[in-house]
Amino acid sequence: MKRAERTARRTSRAIWRCAARVPALVLACLPAAALAQAAMPAAEDAEGAAHVSAERHATGLTTAIAQPGAPAAAAPQLAMPRIATPAYPPTRRLPLVERAFGQDVADPYRWLEQSPASSPEVAQWVAGQNAASAAYLAQLPGRDALAACIRSLFDYERISLPRRAGKSYFYLRNPGLSNQSELYVRAGLDGEERVLLDPNGWSKDGTVALDAWVPSPQGRTLAYTVQVAGSDWRTIRLIDVRSGRLLDETLAWANDTTIAWVGEEGFLYSRFPEPAKGAEHLAPVYGKAVWYHRVGTPQAADLLVYATPDHPEQGHKAAVSADGRWAVITSEVGTLPVRAIHLLDLRSGKPGQWAQASIADGFDNDWKFVDGIGDRLWFVSNMGAPRYRLLELDLSGAPAWKVVVPEREQQLAGANAVGDRFILSYLNGGSSVAVVTDLKGKPSRAITLNDIGSASGFGGRPGQEETFYQFASFNRAPTIYRMDLRTGQTTPFAQPRMSFNPDDYLVEQRFYPSKDGTKVPMYIVRKRSLVGRAVPTLLYGYGGFDIAMTPTFSPVRMAWLEAGGAFALANIRGGGEFGRAWHDAGRLDKKQNSFDDFIAAGEYLIAQGIAAKGSLAVQGGSNGGLLVAAVVNQRPDLFAAANPDVGVLDMLRFDRFTAGRLWTGDYGRPENEADWQVLRRYSPYHNIADGTDYPAILVTTGDSDDRVVPAHSFKYAAALQAAKIGDRPHLLRVESRAGHGAGKPLDKTIASGADTLAFLAYWTGLKTGAAVTAP
């Protein structure tokens, strides 16, 4: 019996259950030349330098597809009675018209930009919208069956990647249906486990969540962040690990922060100045600085260690090298992958008096700190390498850079220094490949997967002999593995037992041509028994901010697949799947490429007989919500139903709220005429095509979302309901005490997932709750 299995039985009867069917992972020890070939396959279908193909996963390429302007797809023949569209609550219109760059722009619903928490009128309007949508959604056939299915699919034990500190191991665990996961600790790999933090008792409705958690280097104290009602604001608390005693200090106004321990005595974190009362969820944020907190002292005693008061638009985060020698300050001015790097010498004096040095002071390239030992620091960077490479900075004399691992055809997404090895994570057309090298960059082994999916994790510290990683895919919940770096042996650490057979599903990757001929990758998932049969299909996309969409597991999505639908994920331009050029090709004045790619994906699914005509639904969140709403405006005939979730939908005013100003690198600046003209052409709120039949639309958001403020969804839904765009419903569902997605309790996730899927299923003709057989 493997060591991990013996450990499991001694420590918990249920925690490390072995699944009957998991993907085999092979740790192959290969010569360097063979490793390079195996880990970095040649691009057989590249589209220029930016487009790297994962052709080994593709099964069947494109044929002719329908062109824009083709006859509208026929509406699905619903196998249930038509449910009447509810009467929408009245919405007050303002006679507000502003002139910008020679154009008159109406904004009749600007009053909906107020927060429901501060405006009784907006709160009443939201309540009316929720009442109308709830009454409609409750009538949908199969809604309760979908809720039960989603709940069943969530009912499996979930374990997070373990994090080792000293001799202790920390991890999250959810037995299946808890609203929030508990944080556990065990002393040693074979030690007894115990609950350290249980957020399920922090609020009656489960909306107060445990977010980040970082143990001190020896595991004596753990710092963690608390999230309330989905807000991006965080409060930092501390707990003594041995006794389980909560410490008194509370650190407020952290937002998008790291926690970087400086020994056992204190840590670095980032916070904003306290916002004006009542402006916490709307006002733009400026002045994020790095502070030092000493354990056992109040926040008022914290020391400011890095700030740029002359440039309040810059935000700063801190990391500390494994040996405690250096603090690395990463500075950002937005969401573009360009950063500046400064160093603090932690051995040069007392906290707050550390010597500083700049090693990359221009916002010209991306820098991702890996780790450091002594005078050597390692970074993953795109400086001179659009697909990134691993660099070493030697500080023993005059600072000098050296290439450790050169740029390759696949994009280097990240690296970890563990033991005496680097573990490099590469993107392979949306999937992931991991390569292990020594500290000089010489390949020693590759981690290969026998299935389409994503491997992630690989955390640890130099000197440690182990690392943990997980593999997941659309049809496989995350399985966690432990790798012994001394022997190269990989053993399962936590394997989920699912209520379905992953092998019943086909996961494939195809490439299809966009409007301009660019080949775009897309994952397609469906039951093997349905291959060759056109079925209702849910198409998902994002396409922005250099973010790569990789195969992940979702119980909500799996409920759609279990009901007999197909799912597709299009890796459109604007994302981070293929490096800088792929991102650049879908932002600013090239943003239309993202929309064209997504429209072409829908046309391809129908032309290939995967999606039934008139049965294609589209879904996306945040920037993906913008994507969905924009393509619905441009091609309403192509889609039967749409779900823009927490979307950026007013492109002329997005930069006026909370973090919106940080997105101008992707969207442009509305105060600049050239950018404004581009934004005006596709802004969903401003381009609803009156007099055209639209698909059924369910707009979803959270009332506490302070990243993409719900005003975007409010104004867009009001404009939809006022327009003459057909008799299909255009509803708004606002989740109470919820934000951009993180921290949502399971009960709310199940309810919102069932509502959304039932809506999409009804309008695409997916018969939920019915047995699905082969044609």
Side-chain angles (χ1 to χ4, degrees):
M1 182 179 294
K2 295 179 180 179
R3 180 182 180 186
E5 293 171 342
R6 294 196 303 269
T7 300
R9 292 192 177 184
R10 284 197 297 267
T11 58
S12 173
R13 289 178 298 175
I15 187 170
W16 316 128
R17 292 184 290 183
C18 295
R21 295 171 295 273
V22 296
L25 278 81
V26 180
L27 188 62
C29 297
L30 301 173
L35 174 63
Q37 183 177 0
M40 311 300 301
E44 300 173 8
D45 191 28
E47 183 68 31
H51 190 160
V52 181
S53 167
E55 196 73 81
R56 61 181 178 176
H57 295 319
T59 57
L61 297 180
T62 64
T63 59
I65 62 173
Q67 298 299 316
Q77 297 298 314
L78 302 180
M80 63 285 287
R82 178 64 64 94
I83 301 173
T85 298
Y88 303 126
T91 304
R92 178 167 62 91
R93 287 180 60 93
L94 298 174
L96 176 60
V97 178
E98 294 179 331
R99 191 161 185 82
F101 305 113
Q103 295 187 41
D104 290 332
V105 181
D107 192 2
Y109 306 113
R110 187 173 294 180
W111 64 274
L112 288 171
E113 291 179 353
Q114 301 172 90
S115 168
S118 60
S119 169
E121 183 183 16
V122 174
Q124 184 179 9
W125 182 86
V126 168
Q129 291 286 338
N130 271 343
S133 60
Y136 181 88
L137 296 169
Q139 300 179 67
L140 293 174
R143 191 270 173 205
D144 291 342
L146 281 167
C149 181
I150 296 171
R151 183 170 292 276
S152 175
L153 289 164
F154 265 112
D155 194 9
Y156 70 97
E157 191 170 56
R158 299 185 292 283
I159 311 294
S160 75
L161 285 162
R163 187 175 301 168
R164 179 178 167 184
K167 296 182 179 179
S168 297
Y169 293 80
F170 300 82
Y171 50 89
L172 295 172
R173 175 185 173 192
N174 192 312
L177 296 177
S178 295
N179 268 324
Q180 303 287 348
S181 296
E182 299 170 314
L183 180 64
Y184 279 74
V185 62
R186 59 165 61 175
L189 193 62
D190 299 327
E192 293 293 329
E193 65 174 15
R194 59 186 172 90
V195 177
L196 188 62
L197 291 169
D198 181 5
N200 290 290
W202 293 354
S203 64
K204 292 182 179 180
D205 61 0
T207 59
V208 179
L210 170 65
D211 185 49
W213 46 274
V214 183
S216 62
Q218 296 303 314
R220 299 173 191 167
T221 310
L222 181 133
Y224 63 96
T225 62
V226 179
Q227 179 186 30
V228 178
S231 170
D232 276 353
W233 292 112
R234 302 289 190 271
T235 300
I236 302 176
R237 299 295 311 272
L238 291 97
I239 186 170
D240 181 86
V241 173
R242 178 176 296 180
S243 67
R245 179 178 63 87
L246 288 178
L247 304 187
D248 292 335
E249 56 255 52
T250 298
L251 313 183
W253 306 117
N255 189 326
D256 185 31
T257 182
T258 54
I259 295 173
W261 283 90
V262 181
E264 297 292 311
E265 292 76 29
F267 57 85
L268 302 172
Y269 72 102
S270 302
R271 79 171 194 242
F272 286 92
E274 182 177 352
K277 187 173 180 58
E280 302 92 340
H281 301 297
L282 286 175
V285 288
Y286 290 91
K288 182 165 72 172
V290 176
W291 295 74
Y292 174 78
H293 175 78
R294 182 177 295 277
V295 175
T297 64
Q299 186 172 24
D302 290 354
L303 299 173
L304 179 65
V305 298
Y306 193 85
T308 51
D310 293 338
H311 294 280
E313 74 280 3
Q314 295 182 14
H316 313 288
K317 301 177 187 176
V320 172
S321 59
D323 61 359
R325 171 69 189 279
W326 303 98
V328 177
I329 307 296
T330 300
S331 303
E332 303 168 325
V333 290
T335 54
L336 282 180
V338 290
R339 297 172 173 88
I341 300 294
H342 293 78
L343 298 181
L344 304 180
D345 186 348
L346 301 182
R347 297 182 183 176
S348 64
K350 296 180 180 180
Q353 301 175 358
W354 294 312
Q356 299 184 14
S358 171
I359 61 172
D361 56 4
F363 293 91
D364 302 315
N365 300 287
D366 192 10
W367 301 91
K368 302 174 184 177
F369 177 57
V370 178
D371 215 321
I373 300 176
D375 291 322
R376 293 184 298 163
L377 298 174
W378 298 289
F379 294 84
V380 169
S381 177
N382 61 0
M383 181 182 68
R387 291 186 296 278
Y388 293 80
R389 58 185 175 177
L390 181 64
L391 302 176
E392 178 182 291
L393 176 63
D394 187 347
L395 296 169
S396 58
W401 290 98
K402 181 176 70 174
V403 176
V404 180
V405 177
E407 181 184 22
R408 299 182 177 183
E409 196 166 22
Q410 294 168 313
Q411 176 162 323
L412 178 59
N416 295 86
V418 187
D420 58 354
R421 297 284 188 269
F422 288 123
I423 304 177
L424 310 176
S425 298
Y426 287 91
L427 285 175
N428 182 29
S431 293
S432 60
V433 175
V435 176
V436 182
T437 76
D438 63 19
L439 293 182
K440 294 183 179 180
K442 181 181 179 181
S444 60
R445 58 180 71 99
I447 300 172
T448 59
L449 311 175
N450 72 342
D451 206 348
I452 294 176
S454 298
S456 59
F458 304 105
R461 301 165 66 88
Q464 290 183 351
E465 72 282 358
E466 65 184 350
T467 188
F468 296 88
Y469 66 95
Q470 68 180 21
F471 174 80
S473 190
F474 299 107
N475 59 332
R476 299 184 187 278
T479 297
I480 298 175
Y481 298 86
R482 177 183 181 271
M483 184 167 70
D484 188 320
L485 292 170
R486 296 167 300 184
T487 65
Q489 183 181 7
T490 297
T491 53
F493 188 74
Q495 299 178 335
R497 186 182 298 276
M498 306 304 299
S499 59
F500 63 92
N501 183 356
D503 295 329
D504 288 344
Y505 290 88
L506 174 66
V507 180
E508 56 183 328
Q509 187 183 47
R510 301 191 185 188
F511 288 80
Y512 65 92
S514 189
K515 181 179 180 179
D516 63 359
T518 299
K519 292 292 184 65
V520 180
M522 176 166 56
Y523 292 106
I524 301 169
V525 190
R526 51 194 164 153
K527 287 188 175 181
R528 294 182 184 274
S529 62
L530 297 177
V531 173
R533 176 177 173 181
V535 298
T537 300
L538 177 56
L539 172 62
Y540 192 93
Y542 186 79
F545 297 97
D546 196 40
I547 295 174
M549 302 300 290
T550 58
T552 56
F553 180 75
S554 163
V556 175
R557 180 188 301 147
M558 183 54 62
W560 176 271
L561 293 167
E562 284 279 85
F567 174 80
L569 171 63
N571 294 116
I572 62 178
R573 283 174 284 183
E577 290 82 1
F578 300 113
R580 178 180 290 177
W582 195 255
H583 176 215
D584 287 346
R587 68 183 184 95
L588 299 176
D589 61 342
K590 296 180 177 61
K591 188 63 177 175
Q592 184 60 41
N593 285 335
S594 298
F595 309 143
D596 290 342
D597 291 353
F598 204 53
I599 289 168
E603 293 171 331
Y604 176 84
L605 291 167
I606 293 172
Q608 291 291 303
I610 296 166
K613 290 184 178 180
S615 293
L616 179 64
V618 281
Q619 184 182 51
S622 197
N623 178 75
L626 160 63
L627 170 71
V628 166
V631 299
V632 164
N633 281 342
Q634 295 180 16
R635 287 294 307 278
D637 60 294
L638 186 60
F639 311 109
N643 171 221
D645 181 41
V646 293
V648 189
L649 303 170
D650 182 347
M651 302 309 298
L652 303 184
R653 291 175 62 80
F654 73 88
D655 60 332
R656 298 169 183 253
F657 308 104
T658 59
R661 67 174 182 83
L662 303 174
W663 312 333
T664 55
D666 256 53
Y667 297 149
R669 299 182 180 277
E671 70 269 21
N672 294 339
E673 181 175 3
D675 291 342
W676 187 92
Q677 297 288 355
V678 173
L679 294 165
R680 177 65 181 83
R681 285 196 292 272
Y682 71 77
S683 176
Y685 173 57
H686 300 93
N687 286 281
I688 296 169
D690 213 33
T692 303
D693 281 344
Y694 265 49
I697 301 174
L698 179 63
V699 184
T700 49
T701 188
D703 64 0
S704 299
D705 190 347
D706 45 19
R707 188 177 310 176
V708 179
V709 294
H712 285 276
S713 295
F714 296 173
K715 295 171 66 176
Y716 171 68
L720 285 175
Q721 292 172 1
K724 297 177 181 178
I725 51 176
D727 59 358
R728 296 185 186 185
H730 306 122
L731 305 177
L732 173 66
R733 185 189 190 279
V734 183
E735 188 75 74
S736 63
R737 289 183 59 79
H740 205 60
K744 183 185 290 187
L746 182 61
D747 287 344
K748 287 183 177 290
T749 299
I750 293 172
S752 62
D755 281 348
T756 302
L757 289 191
F759 183 86
L760 301 178
Y762 179 81
W763 285 101
T764 57
L766 182 65
K767 299 178 181 178
T768 58
V772 179
T773 58

